[in-house]
Amino acid sequence: MAAGYMLMAACRKSDFPEVSSPAYLRVFNCLTYNVTIENKDAPQPFLTMLIDPQLDAAGVPVNAALTFDFLDTRGPLARPYPDAGNSALWQKEFPGTAKIPVGPIVNGYDLSGYGMITGGQHRFMFVTRPRSTDPFYSLPASARNKVLVDTTVSLTEGEIYTMNILEKSVYNRKVGVYLRQEQFTKMPLSDSLVYVNYYNLSSEGYAKTFVFDGTAINKCVKDTMNVFYTLYGTDRMQMKGFTNVFSAKMVRSQETGVHPYSSFPLFPDPASSHIYAGTSGQFFNIVLPGNPPEYQFGNGAESYGTYTSFAFGPEAPAAVNNLVSDPRTGMVISVYSGIYNPRSFATVNTVEYINGNLYVTTLQRRYDPPVYK
């Protein structure tokens, strides 16, 4: 990326600059703490991302090779593709809806949710900024010098990365960068299976120090949990053979290695057409080891860290975390493809639990465009 080229989320360009030898990057702001009287001096979790910044004599950013402004806290569902029709100023992720260069199809996977950054070593700076519509460089110097993270990372050409900005420890409130080099384009994943892997990226000490005050019921879980899933079909009927199936162990760690994927079939009903999966749902129980897989604590009662759950799709029952999705953005994507309207496709999903919040990033494979008769 040419030095001095400035890219801002507020500026939706239609002519993209060329990015030579790109790596592919997706960035999430995972800072979710609430500003209260007790922590009123803590920085706002509303950020500007600067790549290879230029600073004045006082150390205040005045330019950058890439400036991504108005980076808000991430949403619960990161869809496979950017919403090109969205003109929102505040962004839930990078590249988000900004008109910037994004990834192509790589080994059959759509990387349009990843921004292209020239491979090599880069300085990343994340600056907390006021919640306003004023562009970063129009702010006074006193509002541009609140640096939360200043680090250097190396991005390899052709590789795919997920970057999270998160709190490292509740004991010192230090904020840092978590950078994971993804591997899904290099793995022999079947297009007839839906894949999921899990991370607990919570701060050190989060579960131990969590205050159960009745305001976030069953949002906090212990550092080691088991995950089970149940698949549902039409009329919320449980699919035979896919009830309370063990999926993975989820252990709190901010180590950046890729966790193993578990899977379930795109077409769990053997009598299906294997073209359209029908309306479906997926329900995931996250329970403390030693508890049964179907464990659900009471009727909205607090489990004190031993249970939470999440659900996808219209046929799934209610969970603690209900991820709203349409037929194109769930774990099973059904769209008009080829001569079929609709046709169902499997996805690759990453579940990240961070300080009481549950996030899912969904990736889709390339599919044939519609053939209109």
Side-chain angles (χ1 to χ4, degrees), residues 92-108:
K92 293 293 187 181
E93 61 180 274
F94 170 85
T97 61
K99 294 293 188 181
I100 64 175
V102 296
I105 302 294
V106 175
N107 289 347

Side-chain angles (χ1 to χ4, degrees), residues 266-278 334 340-344:
L266 171 61
F267 301 105
D269 182 356
S272 72
S273 66
H274 286 71
I275 297 296
Y276 175 49
S334 297
Y340 301 104
N341 186 18
R343 184 166 191 171
S344 298

Side-chain angles (χ1 to χ4, degrees), residues 177-235:
V177 161
Y178 166 94
L179 183 68
R180 183 174 66 237
Q181 184 174 329
E182 304 290 3
Q183 300 295 317
F184 55 87
T185 58
K186 304 175 183 179
M187 301 172 68
L189 303 181
S190 170
D191 59 8
S192 63
L193 295 174
V194 177
Y195 292 90
V196 191
N197 65 354
Y198 307 87
Y199 300 83
N200 181 343
L201 302 178
S202 296
S203 312
E204 175 195 16
Y206 172 77
K208 290 181 180 179
T209 61
F210 185 83
V211 177
F212 295 96
D213 59 5
T215 60
I217 295 175
N218 292 327
K219 294 291 187 175
C220 174
V221 297
K222 303 292 187 182
D223 286 351
T224 299
M225 304 290 283
N226 287 333
V227 184
F228 300 86
Y229 71 84
T230 297
L231 304 184
Y232 289 83
T234 305
D235 297 326

Side-chain angles (χ1 to χ4, degrees), residues 101-121:
V102 296
I105 302 294
V106 175
N107 289 347
Y109 290 92
D110 182 353
L111 298 186
S112 59
Y114 292 77
M116 294 198 295
I117 306 294
T118 299
Q121 194 171 74

